[in-house]
């Protein structure tokens, strides 16, 4: 298995490169046929360059980045914390299970305007939207991991008269972290959606604001360019999350 | 250790009824019986992991409500922490009881040498064979110098060959480091090989069919398997278990 891994990685890289080129090719063809709805990749890149030169893109990225990071950090802290708490408090878990699943199925994006108007359209209100979109996968995955702590290991801890502190340090945390990281990765993807949604309404700002403005002007070059830029950033951040997840799960027998 | 009139229940079902057993320091008591006869349940009651429906478990005169100090258990499925290396798994037993890291690691290495795992200190459990994992489990249990060692089908999850190798290895270790042992197994050979005394469980709910003294000389090794006395006891235990199965 170990011998073939670099080979597999290379193959995966080649396949994704081919896919990317194919996608760009299709985009180019469609763009040439219908230049109004679909700007070509070249024109999209140009549009991004213009935005960068006039300074609106860097400042938008900074604003959106701040919002994303604040919301995401809050979601990670609260999500992991609450998820872990659920593992040790059976009553809390059974009584809030349905609530979490109910909350998770609510499209936060649709509620964004209400949340924003209730909390004042500023950074706090927008961070709340990001927080709410990102927090649920983190809670659910963390709680799932904490819930699946093997009973044998709990018994091992009991027979060695483990203190609560050692129980967390030696068993609950190491077991749960990989699950939490899976949740955080999903949370990162959701946070991007939440950030753009939070920026769309009333006092549009950041990358979401630029997107909205370009979209209203039928400026497809900017819209496509920005969309792609956001995707690239999201993929980058998620790869980072995956790397952290791998690190914490290095004791696992099989890597995907 | 003393089991005083233990009745174990799983919900409504009575698993075993009115079990009386004593184990004196330095001796080995093997509990043998068909699977599902509740022998592991008895062991778990001694470990304080479950409470008997009726009766009391006493260790050194103290009623057991949680695992007492100095009681260590070897688990059938090893019970190793997959995120800890061999050395950290062994040291864990000492770390939780407050031994400083350096001293715990030193003692862990000693035990790793004893069970023949030198060179695998930094390996993770998934990188080891079942036999090596159970060697680690054994080292962990012995690390605390237990006054009572509870063996829960310790070789039951291993293949036949590894099982035999580990049995004789364990006999050797036990000779050098004798420890009071309660040994639960469904292997009759294992019970006769390790036990100073064998409690044979049968029936549903199970009870002690007979308490057999094993007067095979110590130290024991592979050669006892061929002795007339070994075979005679083996036959007797077999018959007892089979009688229980028929009804």
């Amino acid at each position: 298995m170990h011998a073939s891994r670099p080979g597999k990685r290379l193959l995966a890289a080649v396949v994704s490169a081919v896919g990317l080129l194919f996608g760009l090719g299709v985009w180019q063809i469609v763009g040439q046929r219908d230049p109004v709805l679909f700007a070509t990749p070249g024109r999209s890149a140009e549009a991004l360059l213009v935005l960068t030169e006039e300074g609106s893109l860097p400042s938008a990225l900074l604003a959106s980045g701040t919002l994303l990071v604040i919301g995401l950090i809050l979601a990670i802290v609260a999500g992991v914390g609450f998820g872990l708490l659920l593992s040790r408090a059976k009553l809390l878990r059974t009584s809030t299970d349905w609530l979490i699943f109910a909350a998770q199925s609510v499209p936060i994006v649709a509620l964004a305007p209400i949340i924003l108007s209730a909390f004042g359209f500023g950074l706090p209100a927008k961070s709340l939207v990001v927080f709410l979109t990102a927090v649920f996968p983190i809670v659910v995955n963390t709680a799932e991991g904490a819930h699946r702590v093997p009973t044998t290991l709990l018994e091992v801890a009991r027979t060695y008269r483990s203190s609560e502190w050692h129980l967390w340090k030696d068993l609950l945390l190491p077991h749960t972290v990989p699950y939490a990281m899976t949740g955080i990765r999903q949370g990162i993807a959701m946070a991007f959606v939440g950030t753009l949604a939070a920026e769309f309404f009333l006092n549009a700002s950041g990358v979401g604001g630029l997107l909205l403005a370009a979209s209203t002007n039928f400026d497809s070059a900017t819209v496509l360019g920005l969309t792609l830029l956001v995707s690239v950033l999201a993929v980058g951040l998620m790869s980072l999350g995956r790397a952290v997840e791998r690190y914490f799960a290095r004791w696992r027998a099989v890597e995907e | 250790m003393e089991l005083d009139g233990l009745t174990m229940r799983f919900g409504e079902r009575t698993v075993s009824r009115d079990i009386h057993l004593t184990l004196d320091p330095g001796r080995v008591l093997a509990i043998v019986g068909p699977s599902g006869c509740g022998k592991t349940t008895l062991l778990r009651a001694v470990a304080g992991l479950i409470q008997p429906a009726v009766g009391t478990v006493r260790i050194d005169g103290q009623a057991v409500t949680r695992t007492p100090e100095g009681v260590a258990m070897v688990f059938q499925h090893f019970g190793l922490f997959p995120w800890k290396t061999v050395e950290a798994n062994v040291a864990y037993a000492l770390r939780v009881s407050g031994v400083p890291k350096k001293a715990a690691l030193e003692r862990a290495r000693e035990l790793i040498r004893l069970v023949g795992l030198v060179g695998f200190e930094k390996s993770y459990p998934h990188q080891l064979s079942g036999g090596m994992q159970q060697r680690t489990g054994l080292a962990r249990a012995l690390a605390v110098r237990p006054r009572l060692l509870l063996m829960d089908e310790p070789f039951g999850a291993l293949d036949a060959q590894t099982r035999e190798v580990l049995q004789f290895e364990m006999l050797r270790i036990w000779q050098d480091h004798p420890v009071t042992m309660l040994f639960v197994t469904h292997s009759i050979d294992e019970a006769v090989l390790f036990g100073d005394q064998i409690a044979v469980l049968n029936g549903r709910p199970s009870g002690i069919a007979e308490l057999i003294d094993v007067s095979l000389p110590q130290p024991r090794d592979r050669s006892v398997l061929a002795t007339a006395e070994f075979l005679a006891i083996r036959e007797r235990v077999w018959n007892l278990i089979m009688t229980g199965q028929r009804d």
Side-chain angles (χ1 to χ4, degrees), chain A residues 169-170 251, chain B residues 81-89 92 123-125:
Chain A
K169 177 178 159 291
D170 293 316
W251 48 268
Chain B
F81 296 106
W83 44 85
K84 285 182 186 288
T85 59
V86 165
E87 133 191 303
N89 263 296
Y92 167 82
S123 301
Y124 287 98

Side-chain angles (χ1 to χ4, degrees), chain B residues 1-4 23 25 42-48 56-72 147-150 180 182:
Chain B
M1 181 213 82
E2 190 191 355
L3 304 187
D4 187 6
L23 171 59
L42 284 180
L43 191 86
R44 288 161 51 83
V46 175
T56 325
V57 179
R58 280 188 216 95
I59 292 175
D60 291 337
Q62 299 273 318
V64 169
T65 49
R66 57 177 288 209
T67 313
E69 218 167 331
V71 174
R147 58 194 165 120
L148 174 61
L149 187 58
L150 305 175
T180 315
L182 184 62

Side-chain angles (χ1 to χ4, degrees), chain A residues 150 152-153 155-163 166 169-172 174-175 250-254, chain B residues 44 48-49 66-69 71 73 75 79-84 92-93 95-96 124 126 140-141:
Chain A
T152 318
L153 293 184
E155 286 185 347
V156 169
R158 272 176 74 194
T159 59
Y160 287 102
R161 304 161 58 87
S162 169
S163 61
H166 267 287
K169 177 178 159 291
D170 293 316
L171 179 49
L172 299 180
H175 178 266
R250 65 195 182 286
W251 48 268
R252 278 190 179 169
V254 274
Chain B
R44 288 161 51 83
L49 290 174
R66 57 177 288 209
T67 313
E69 218 167 331
V71 174
M73 183 155 162
F75 293 79
L80 301 177
F81 296 106
W83 44 85
K84 285 182 186 288
Y92 167 82
R95 294 288 291 136
V96 283
Y124 287 98
H126 79 261
R140 177 174 65 186

Side-chain angles (χ1 to χ4, degrees), chain B residues 94-122:
Chain B
L94 300 156
R95 294 288 291 136
V96 283
S97 56
V99 176
K101 195 167 188 174
K102 214 177 142 218
L105 275 179
E106 236 163 70
R107 172 97 179 120
R109 297 218 177 93
E110 226 172 273
L111 266 304
I112 287 168
R113 218 171 305 128
L114 182 71
V115 300
L117 279 180
V118 174
F120 295 96
E121 291 86 349
K122 307 281 183 205

Side-chain angles (χ1 to χ4, degrees), chain B residues 135 160-170:
Chain B
R135 282 168 196 260
Q161 232 167 54
T162 311
R163 177 173 193 145
E164 255 187 67
V165 171
L166 239 68
Q167 280 170 356
F168 295 111
E169 185 99 358
M170 180 65 207

